[in-house]
Amino acid sequence: MSQPLLHALHFVLALLLSPLLFGIINRVKAKVAGRHGKPLLQTYFDLIKLLRKGCVRSDCTTPVFTLAPCIQISATVLALYFLPLGGVASPAGFAGDFLLVSYLLAAGRFVIMLAALDTGSSFEGMGASREATFSAFAEPVLFLAMIVLTSFYMDLGHSEAYAFSLGTLFGGQSALAWLNGKLELLFIPPVFFLLLLVENSRIPVDDPTTHLELTMIHEVMILDHSGPDLALILYASTVKLWFFASLIASLFIPPMQIWQESLLWLLLIFLLAVILGLLESSMARLRLHRVPALIGAAGMMAALALILSQMR
Amino acid sequence: MQNIPSFSYLHTCSLDSLPRENEATFLALLGQALKEGARPLAYFALPKMADETGQSLLAVLAQDGQRRLLALRSIPLTSVASLTPSFPALHLFERALNEEGMELRGHPWCKPVRVAPDLRSPGSPPFPFFRTTGSQVHEVAVGPVHAGIIEPGHFRFQCAGEEVIHLEIALGYQHRGLEALVLKKPLETLPMLFECTAGDTSIGHALAHALIIERLQNRSLSARVSETRALALELERLANHVGDLGAIAGDTGFLPTSAWNGRIRGDILTMTAILTGNRFGRNLVVPGTVRRSPDAKTCSDLEERRKTALRDARGAIDCMMKSPSVLERMRETGKVSAGMAKKLGLVGVCARASGIPVDARKNAPFEDETLPFAPALAETGDVLGRVQVRIREVETSFAMVEKSLTILSALEREPVPPRPPLRPLPKNTLAVSQVEGFRGEIVHVAVTNAENAFLTYRVIDPSFHNWMGLAVALRGNQISDFPLCNKSFNLSYCGHDL
């Protein structure tokens, strides 16, 4: 099978399976707490239910509010398309595409923040302010981690045009490298894991199960969305979780047979969901003003990896 | 305090023995007693008599060390100077006085207590909410409709960014006119009314009411009856404390304890159901007796369940208190200093968390004897302090339940007296009861008239004192910490609103 076709297959698989991640996380959390828990497919049921409902929109909102979910879902799905999936590089990849991808994600976040502000609710304003603060901290860390990977590929003698594309950065060479002793690269998966927690509003950054508006970050921004609008936002957040889980998984997949790579890719992503569930069952969320310290720790790890790899 | 009439908390006090002081003397004596460490239990106006122009004020204070109560009465007044600037513990009592028609001179914060901002009569001026101004200040209004299944209340935060400058709490949405209802209902139906004063404190309030009637009618209780009551009260405390600890864990995002404690609370409610026939202890306590008392077989069943619940509760609480992330979250959050707690007259768990040893089980036990434990105290006054006090009380309550069960199974042969016929109430008498409910000290105050009926009946739920504590605890904290602080106080809306 040709590369573009394989990537398209993986892409469709990702879009189909992403709501399953929430199901796995919730099931793990329930089991640890001694409960039976929601069905694994609950997110699918929720999406179907929401899509069949009508939309209630406040009179004081503008088209910003209406358009935001569509823009966010398009940006997120497009960002996923640029990612190498299951060891297959995206046919759309180009040198420097990681900049485009991170700003696609940022654009999705930005429109949701605008929509939150558009409602004029003090809760949603607070949520938007928190989201803006934490993403401003998270963005440089993401780039720092990318730079570590780039410098590693440059050291391998790849040309700039090649080393600056996501297809290379997450293409499997890094897994081979740390297996062969470049251990400083092992700092990178934890960095991406912390970024996953921040970007997807998971414990200890945010509590996705809380009903308390005053403590929320992501959930409070979408309080006014309903029906299909909410379904789009919910689906976008599952795709975003898949995006970050896939980034991390790619760092662990060495070059192998293509079917082995895609199987390992799926396994690792589901394993990450289980790890997330265990993490969320075993710790409380951080005090809000401690979150930047967590992101700072991720930044430190990325910087350390960069220094160590340059010292060799 | 020699010039203030005092009486033992176990007895009543004849209204005629209280001299009618003029305003200046009344306030001077009240101020003096508060300065010397007496704690205000109730401060209210008696209904207007036909031949009087104003209402006489009545203040009841507690001297915890001596286990004596002080009572002060004034001549009929239409206006009184406020003592709140010097004694903030009186501030809500004075606001309630104002709401009932007394003019309060010099009160700094004279707002409605039980008339909710959106339930006032049309055309009334806008509710005088406190407001902070400044370019960086924003206001967040929460409620009265909340995201969870809780009671209605309106909270207004003045914030600079995430930091809370001030929180104002406006209640009254649950006002049912309970105190007025007491005067209209036949005496024998009152236990049912008090069981739903605050639904989670059914036993506490029913007990406080039963004590009032028993003290007025000078009845003594058999050992089996008092022991059954003590057992029910501790079970109510256990169920609520365990539930609260789980809810606090849930608010920090720590799911295991949150889920387990919900289940363990259910197990304890089942014990209450076995004891009383109702999971919330309804229909147990009536003046003069209890409707049910366990036999030896039920006692041994309850003892088995107690052991299981204790083991489970210890495990769940341990898991939470060994998690560094939970401890970090609770430490230094929502702090109330001992001085502030004393000033505001906090009671119950919130006061003990700040190191103030008020516990009605110690200060006003049902019989004149000393309980074999010291009030559970913490020093820090933060969320962690309130959690630690609850944990210690869970331990002592489990021990007290065990003791009560042993005593009750030995008393199996003693008959439970049937509900005694109601005798007429004595004339012109003041009766006070104090019961340590799970939140804190519940106070009921009754005054009878010359026609052997209640002239007035006052209910002071611990929440009445403690809501202001929550507002103060939030100052300088993060607004995102409010739900956690709120849960650690766990105050009753309907207990406050009556």
Side-chain angles (χ1 to χ4, degrees):
Chain A
M1 221 187 289
S2 70
Q3 287 281 61
L5 204 62
L6 259 177
H7 185 268
L9 191 72
H10 283 157
F11 182 60
V12 171
L13 209 58
L15 291 183
L16 283 179
L17 290 180
S18 63
L20 195 59
L21 293 185
F22 281 9
I24 296 174
I25 294 174
N26 285 333
R27 188 46 83 85
V28 171
K29 279 160 80 171
K31 286 290 168 209
V32 174
R35 293 183 290 120
H36 184 67
K38 299 180 204 170
L40 267 178
L41 301 181
Q42 187 61 47
T43 319
Y44 293 97
F45 303 148
D46 286 348
L47 286 169
I48 293 165
K49 176 191 75 184
L50 288 171
L51 283 172
R52 285 159 64 181
K53 282 190 168 186
C55 258
V56 181
R57 289 185 184 130
S58 154
D59 291 339
C60 62
T61 54
T62 62
V64 172
F65 181 81
T66 326
L67 286 176
C70 305
I71 300 176
Q72 194 212 12
I73 185 84
S74 328
T76 317
V77 170
L78 197 58
L80 183 72
Y81 185 68
F82 276 98
L83 215 58
L85 300 170
V88 188
S90 165
F94 58 90
D97 56 0
F98 71 85
L99 281 171
L100 175 69
V101 165
S102 37
Y103 283 108
L104 276 173
L105 290 181
R109 196 164 45 223
F110 177 66
V111 289
I112 290 294
M113 289 194 288
L114 279 188
L117 293 173
D118 195 36
T119 62
S121 146
S122 49
F123 292 136
E124 302 203 24
M126 279 197 303
S129 135
R130 289 167 186 169
E131 179 91 344
T133 313
F134 297 149
S135 51
F137 282 112
E139 195 178 280
V141 178
L142 178 68
F143 285 139
L144 198 55
M146 293 288 191
I147 289 170
V148 178
L149 289 174
T150 320
S151 74
F152 162 70
Y153 280 99
M154 301 273 278
D155 289 349
L156 284 185
H158 290 302
S159 73
E160 279 171 28
Y162 185 65
F164 273 52
S165 103
L166 281 169
T168 317
L169 295 180
F170 294 90
Q173 290 295 326
S174 57
L176 211 56
W178 63 258
L179 284 174
N180 292 330
K182 257 188 149 336
L183 284 177
E184 66 268 16
L185 282 180
L186 274 182
F187 276 120
I188 297 305
V191 172
F192 279 111
F193 186 69
L194 290 178
L195 285 173
L196 176 147
L197 297 178
V198 177
E199 294 277 348
N200 292 285
S201 314
R202 310 302 305 187
I203 280 182
V205 177
D206 190 4
D207 183 0
T209 53
T210 186
H211 63 266
L212 305 160
E213 317 94 331
L214 292 176
T215 69
M216 299 177 188
I217 302 172
H218 176 71
E219 297 296 316
V220 75
M221 291 200 298
I222 58 173
L223 276 184
D224 273 69
H225 289 279
S226 57
D229 283 356
L230 188 58
L232 287 182
I233 294 175
L234 179 64
Y235 185 61
S237 57
T238 68
V239 173
K240 197 169 167 189
L241 183 60
W242 189 282
F243 176 95
F244 277 92
S246 175
L247 273 188
I248 299 169
S250 308
L251 293 172
F252 287 98
I253 307 172
M256 285 185 294
Q257 290 284 326
I258 192 68
W259 66 270
Q260 287 171 324
E261 282 191 27
S262 37
L263 214 60
L264 189 58
W265 175 62
L266 288 178
L267 262 177
L268 282 172
I269 288 177
F270 292 135
L271 180 69
L272 261 169
V274 174
I275 293 173
L276 272 177
L278 290 175
L279 178 85
E280 297 196 4
S281 309
S282 56
M283 74 181 294
R285 69 178 283 202
L286 286 172
R287 223 176 270 242
L288 215 51
H289 62 92
R290 297 265 174 145
V291 173
L294 183 80
I295 307 174
M300 284 300 154
M301 276 197 278
L304 201 59
L306 185 64
I307 293 166
L308 286 175
S309 68
Q310 290 307 309
M311 275 165 61
R312 289 210 177 213
Chain B
M1 268 179 267
Q2 285 77 25
N3 29 12
I4 305 176
S6 78
F7 58 102
S8 154
Y9 77 95
L10 285 168
H11 298 123
T12 56
C13 166
S14 159
L15 214 50
D16 302 322
S17 71
L18 301 177
R20 294 183 155 215
E21 314 285 2
N22 63 28
E23 188 194 337
T25 329
F26 177 83
L27 292 177
L29 287 173
L30 183 56
Q32 180 206 347
L34 289 170
K35 200 177 269 168
E36 287 171 27
R39 211 156 45 78
L41 294 187
Y43 178 32
F44 56 93
L46 294 172
K48 203 174 186 170
M49 298 292 149
D51 53 340
E52 288 170 353
T53 47
Q55 295 169 279
S56 13
L57 298 170
L58 193 72
V60 181
L61 305 123
Q63 281 179 298
D64 287 333
Q66 283 106 314
R67 292 193 179 169
R68 289 191 76 76
L69 301 177
L70 307 173
L72 275 169
R73 186 159 70 135
S74 78
I75 54 168
L77 297 168
T78 52
S79 146
V80 66
S82 169
L83 284 181
T84 299
S86 345
F87 303 102
L90 289 180
H91 109 274
L92 209 52
F93 287 117
E94 292 195 336
R95 275 169 62 181
L97 269 180
N98 179 254
E99 199 169 51
E100 290 169 17
M102 180 72 63
E103 189 202 336
L104 256 295
R105 298 190 308 273
H107 193 292
W109 191 255
C110 218
K111 302 180 184 189
V113 183
R114 294 189 171 114
V115 184
D118 358 9
L119 301 179
R120 294 177 310 150
S121 53
S124 39
F127 193 87
F129 280 114
F130 181 80
R131 255 209 140 111
T132 318
T133 48
S135 62
Q136 300 296 307
V137 176
H138 65 110
E139 188 179 74
V140 181
V142 186
V145 179
H146 296 278
I149 306 169
I150 58 165
E151 296 176 74
H154 183 74
F155 300 87
R156 249 186 217 213
F157 298 87
Q158 311 293 325
C159 298
E162 294 278 339
E163 189 189 320
V164 178
I165 300 168
H166 180 72
L167 159 64
E168 181 164 0
I169 303 170
L171 301 175
Y173 296 91
Q174 299 271 75
H175 183 53
R176 296 148 289 168
L178 188 109
E179 289 174 331
L181 213 56
V182 174
L183 307 183
K184 287 184 208 142
K185 290 243 176 189
L187 222 46
E188 55 268 28
T189 63
L190 290 185
M192 278 190 286
L193 190 64
F194 286 108
E195 276 165 357
C196 48
T197 300
D200 48 12
T201 327
S202 295
I203 293 168
H205 275 286
L207 208 48
H209 169 67
L211 287 177
I212 285 274
I213 301 282
E214 284 151 14
R215 283 175 189 169
L216 278 172
Q217 303 188 332
N218 211 2
R219 279 179 199 281
S220 59
L221 298 173
S222 73
R224 190 167 177 191
V225 171
S226 358
E227 207 54 53
T228 311
R229 287 178 175 188
L231 173 62
L233 189 64
E234 292 314 311
L235 283 179
E236 185 171 84
R237 186 183 328 279
L238 275 176
N240 281 296
H241 276 2
V242 167
D244 286 350
L245 288 169
I248 290 169
D251 274 8
T252 65
F254 191 68
L255 300 177
T257 305
S258 159
W260 295 334
N261 276 24
R263 201 254 307 147
I264 301 164
R265 171 173 173 268
D267 292 347
I268 299 168
L269 290 179
T270 307
M271 289 171 71
T272 315
I274 291 171
L275 177 71
T276 70
N278 178 289
R279 277 162 46 92
F280 296 96
R282 300 247 165 122
N283 270 324
L284 176 75
V285 183
V286 284
T289 183
V290 286
R291 286 232 175 83
R292 285 163 80 142
S293 183
D295 53 20
K297 196 165 147 280
T298 316
C299 282
S300 68
D301 175 28
L302 285 174
E303 175 58 21
E304 283 311 306
R305 288 170 183 272
R306 184 198 71 91
K307 277 186 193 142
T308 320
L310 174 62
R311 187 201 63 205
D312 293 354
R314 273 189 185 152
I317 290 168
D318 244 33
C319 179
M320 164 181 170
M321 297 307 280
K322 281 192 177 141
S323 161
S325 58
V326 177
L327 293 177
E328 199 279 332
R329 189 80 179 73
M330 298 192 295
R331 199 165 278 149
E332 298 292 314
T333 304
K335 227 173 151 153
V336 182
S337 67
M340 185 55 90
K342 202 151 212 160
K343 226 185 206 172
L344 293 174
L346 300 192
V347 295
V349 174
C350 316
R352 293 195 285 276
S354 300
I356 296 169
V358 282
D359 188 329
R361 290 178 293 174
K362 194 84 181 165
N363 302 331
F366 302 142
E367 260 112 68
D368 205 355
E369 57 170 59
T370 310
L371 287 173
F373 68 91
L377 293 182
E379 299 302 322
T380 48
D382 51 7
V383 174
L384 184 61
R386 290 185 279 276
V387 164
Q388 284 166 336
V389 167
R390 284 195 175 93
I391 292 173
R392 283 174 203 150
E393 293 190 357
V394 164
E395 285 288 335
T396 50
S397 290
F398 269 120
M400 286 167 78
V401 167
E402 184 185 19
K403 191 174 140 246
S404 295
L405 287 172
T406 324
I407 295 174
L408 280 172
S409 55
L411 288 175
E412 194 191 13
R413 306 223 168 267
E414 189 186 299
V416 183
R419 189 169 179 182
L422 280 165
R423 292 200 297 258
L425 301 173
K427 292 178 175 139
N428 296 330
T429 310
L430 165 71
V432 182
S433 66
Q434 295 155 271
V435 171
E436 188 70 19
F438 76 94
R439 283 197 182 90
E441 185 186 44
I442 300 163
V443 177
H444 285 205
V445 179
V447 181
T448 56
N449 57 19
E451 281 91 51
N452 305 84
F454 285 131
L455 174 67
T456 184
Y457 195 104
R458 298 290 167 156
V459 178
I460 297 100
D461 191 83
S463 313
F464 189 76
H465 300 280
N466 288 356
W467 275 111
M468 194 63 201
L470 174 61
V472 169
L474 248 283
R475 286 191 186 166
N477 273 254
Q478 304 260 302
I479 188 169
S480 60
D481 285 341
F482 171 71
L484 183 61
C485 287
N486 189 22
K487 219 51 119 306
S488 75
F489 274 82
N490 184 23
L491 301 175
S492 169
Y493 298 70
C494 55
H496 171 280
D497 294 347
L498 298 178

